[in-house]
Amino acid sequence: MRHEPRAPILQKSSWGDFHLLRIAAPEMAAEAGPGQFLMIRTSPGSDPLLRRPISLHDAGDGWLEIFFRTAGRGTAQLAAKKKGEALDVLGPLGQGFRLEGAWKAKAAWLVGGGRGIAPLFFLGRRLKARGARVKVLYGGKTSAEVPIAEKFEAAGLHPIVATDDGSLGLKGFVTALLEKELAAVKTPPKALFVCGPDPMMEKTAVLALARGIPAQLSLEAIMGCGFGACWGCVHRIRREGEGKWRKICEDGPVFAAEEIVWGEG
Ligand SMILES: Cc1cc2nc3c(=O)[nH]c(=O)nc-3n(C[C@H](O)[C@H](O)[C@H](O)COP(=O)(O)OP(=O)(O)OC[C@H]3O[C@@H](n4cnc5c(N)ncnc54)[C@H](O)[C@@H]3O)c2cc1C
Ligand code: FES
């Protein structure tokens, strides 16, 4: 874990409540993997006191990107930052997505709901670069809640979109889109990577387990420290037949579908 107290903001884009920041952080960028996250100080003072966890949306030569939705005070402060200001960040943190089988098998599906799409861009780019056939399923409540569909398109990741109100793509939940896509293929994907609200992830895990598709899911929790010190982020995880409280920040945030005990976060 590295600490960069003054990472300059190089670029900023906004779509309503959603924001994308690119920061300069060369050492972190060199180590970053898809599914890892940053802990970001959003205010120079003590309101809020705690850093906020935000996934790595992308990484390149000397830079990192984050994509986030305003949820409360911390993310509103982050959204107010301008190009040229600096961010105080810790990272990269956590155990991200494990890619091994996915690009060898060459068929990986990425399923993102709302702000949960954030880590899947970096993952999709990396899988594609390693020769995988990547399918992206991207859901939100309305067309305004899938603001980076075009960014995926521009990266050659061609997302299939679902919105609850039907204003863009299939009308319905992204899990319904996943069921439809699974029903349409002869050979199921060899890997599913998922991030979104808990009910969406639980449903996706059930679909994957029922079909024997290996799935990795990125869990969320309210985090105190982000690096294993406070036990504020535990979730019940079943490994070697035994369910234990594990730290999402340190043992995750990415876990296999069969490991996650739902409803005990
Ligand atoms: C590993 C990890 C990666 C994340 N990556 C992203 C990302 O890439 N983009 C993004 O937009 N968000 C992401 N989040 C969620 C983000 O951390 C929260 O939205 C943020 O901390 C809220 O802070 P706030 O001060 O704005 O809101 P607060 O005022 O603290 O809270 C506002 C509301 O959001 C709820 N809330 C706060 N934190 C969480 C949380 N972690 N999960 C669910 N509900 C929460 C609170 O209960 C409250 O109802 C991630 C969370 C984790 C744990
Ligand atoms: S957030 Fe402190 S232990 Fe996970």
Side-chain angles (χ1 to χ4, degrees):
M1 173 181 76
R2 295 180 181 276
H3 180 207
E4 176 48 75
R6 293 201 55 78
I9 298 172
L10 303 173
Q11 288 175 19
K12 179 180 180 187
S13 307
S14 297
W15 305 260
D17 284 349
F18 293 89
H19 309 274
L20 189 145
L21 297 179
R22 177 178 286 197
I23 60 170
E27 288 168 337
M28 288 185 195
E31 293 169 6
Q36 290 190 295
F37 65 96
L38 302 175
M39 288 296 282
I40 306 180
R41 186 173 293 291
T42 60
S43 150
S46 56
D47 181 22
L49 188 61
L50 299 174
R51 291 170 182 271
R52 296 297 192 250
I54 302 286
S55 304
L56 294 172
H57 174 63
D58 201 4
D61 190 11
W63 55 265
L64 295 172
E65 279 183 356
I66 54 168
F67 173 73
F68 63 96
R69 181 175 202 174
T70 309
R73 184 142 180 83
T75 44
Q77 288 169 341
L78 202 53
K81 307 270 183 209
K82 296 186 178 66
K83 185 176 165 184
E85 288 184 56
L87 285 189
D88 177 340
V89 294
L90 285 181
L93 293 161
Q95 310 299 320
F97 295 106
R98 292 167 299 284
L99 311 191
E100 301 81 25
W103 73 75
K104 278 190 205 133
K106 292 197 178 262
W109 290 15
L110 282 46
V111 189
R115 70 184 189 211
I117 197 69
L120 302 183
F121 186 76
F122 187 13
L123 175 67
R125 279 212 318 123
R126 195 155 275 190
L127 286 169
K128 192 166 184 283
R130 295 182 183 190
R133 266 184 295 114
V134 180
K135 184 179 277 200
V136 179
L137 310 182
Y138 182 6
K141 288 198 174 99
T142 67
S143 59
E145 295 198 8
V146 289
I148 55 170
E150 283 177 15
K151 185 171 192 249
F152 276 83
E153 195 67 50
L157 288 166
H158 313 305
I160 308 173
V161 171
T163 50
D164 298 2
D165 69 352
S167 51
L168 193 68
L170 180 88
K171 184 175 192 304
F173 294 151
V174 72
T175 46
L177 174 61
L178 174 62
E179 282 185 284
K180 183 171 168 271
E181 292 293 319
L182 286 170
V185 291
K186 281 204 196 99
T187 315
K190 294 291 185 286
L192 266 187
F193 299 94
V194 190
C195 187
D198 272 3
M200 170 257 178
M201 290 210 286
E202 183 172 359
K203 170 88 181 169
T204 310
V206 169
L207 289 172
L209 289 171
R211 290 164 176 77
I213 305 169
Q216 297 178 38
L217 295 86
S218 182
L219 295 184
E220 274 197 10
I222 293 178
M223 292 188 172
C225 65
F227 49 82
C230 73
W231 285 88
C233 64
V234 293
H235 194 105
R236 179 85 72 178
I237 297 294
R238 196 185 304 108
R239 277 187 184 158
E240 287 145 20
E242 205 187 342
K244 275 195 183 163
W245 294 105
R246 290 188 180 267
K247 299 169 191 167
I248 289 184
C249 67
E250 205 176 38
D251 296 316
V254 178
F255 295 94
E258 61 275 17
E259 294 181 322
I260 302 166
V261 182
W262 295 101
E264 292 193 40

